[in-house]
Amino acid sequence: MTKVLDIQNLTVKFGEFIAVDNITFSVEKGEIFGFLGANGAGKTTTIRALCGLVNISGGKMFIDGKDVSKNTKELKPRIGYMSQKFTLYPDLTIKENIVFSGALYMMSEKETLKRMHEVFEYVNFKENPDEIVKNMSGGSKQIISLAASILHNPEIVFLDEPTAGISPVSRKLFWELISKLSSDGKTIFVTTHYMDEAEYCGRIALMQSGRIIALDNPQNLKAASNASDLEQAFINFLDKK
């Protein structure tokens, strides 16, 4: 397996508050790697650090062997990021939002629209591109956000709580897309607080108060904690701390 992400002793502080506390892990090419934990556990801050959006206080982060802190501009085109909060403009059309997203990656409008149709076909999105975004359902908005994050064909896709607030049916469909992206060679780094969703991940890091308290595949985590499901496994690991 090829190591795509290599994180060594990563620490992020905001003043005296330690958001990410000396964590070390790696992610392989094509893997669906999950961060599982409650809000405030440090999941989002870790992703933002890896995307070069927050300054780190200690440690090293490498993408394909290149230091993220020193090569942010070079690495940016290789990264897709879907943030926790819906970041598209609700009063613009789907197409206008996609064109804006493409411009952020220095894509021409012609190139962006070509990719938009390719990506929409890939994710089986059939809505009218001229529809106003605020009129879309929650599930459709998340699909549009995903499309925007992979518009430039990145190698690594960071998804921060991508299914928060959408229906169980939409969550299932979204995870089918995540699996499809992984099967096609994309490396997926996803955060969630839904225990059932974490079962779809190849490996999971359980996070609490900025620290990784356990890291393995779902089956091994459950076996190691003598639990029948991940929720109980998480509780059991917390009890050990």
Side-chain angles (χ1 to χ4, degrees), residues 35-140:
F35 258 19
L36 178 62
N39 292 333
K43 307 185 304 296
T44 294
T45 302
T46 300
I47 279 186
R48 289 178 61 80
L50 284 164
C51 292
L53 299 175
V54 298
N55 295 324
I56 66 173
S57 306
K60 294 285 186 180
M61 306 176 295
F62 299 94
I63 294 179
D64 284 338
K66 295 186 177 182
D67 190 322
V68 174
S69 299
K70 297 178 181 178
N71 299 278
T72 302
K73 186 175 181 179
E74 177 186 350
L75 292 170
K76 182 180 177 182
R78 302 172 68 179
I79 293 172
Y81 173 48
M82 179 177 166
S83 68
Q84 185 176 12
K85 296 181 179 179
F86 184 71
T87 56
L88 300 182
Y89 293 95
D91 292 322
L92 296 182
T93 66
I94 296 169
K95 182 169 68 177
E96 287 168 338
N97 270 286
I98 294 296
V99 169
F100 177 77
S101 296
L104 296 177
Y105 291 96
M106 307 302 291
M107 297 170 64
S108 68
E109 183 172 346
K110 182 178 179 180
E111 179 186 9
T112 298
L113 292 176
K114 180 176 181 293
R115 275 293 294 162
M116 179 187 76
H117 292 298
E118 292 173 351
V119 171
F120 282 177
E121 183 177 355
Y122 181 84
V123 301
N124 196 31
F125 185 74
K126 301 183 183 301
E127 301 289 348
N128 183 353
D130 293 318
E131 182 67 66
I132 301 295
V133 165
K134 67 181 178 183
N135 296 334
M136 310 304 297
S137 67
S140 291

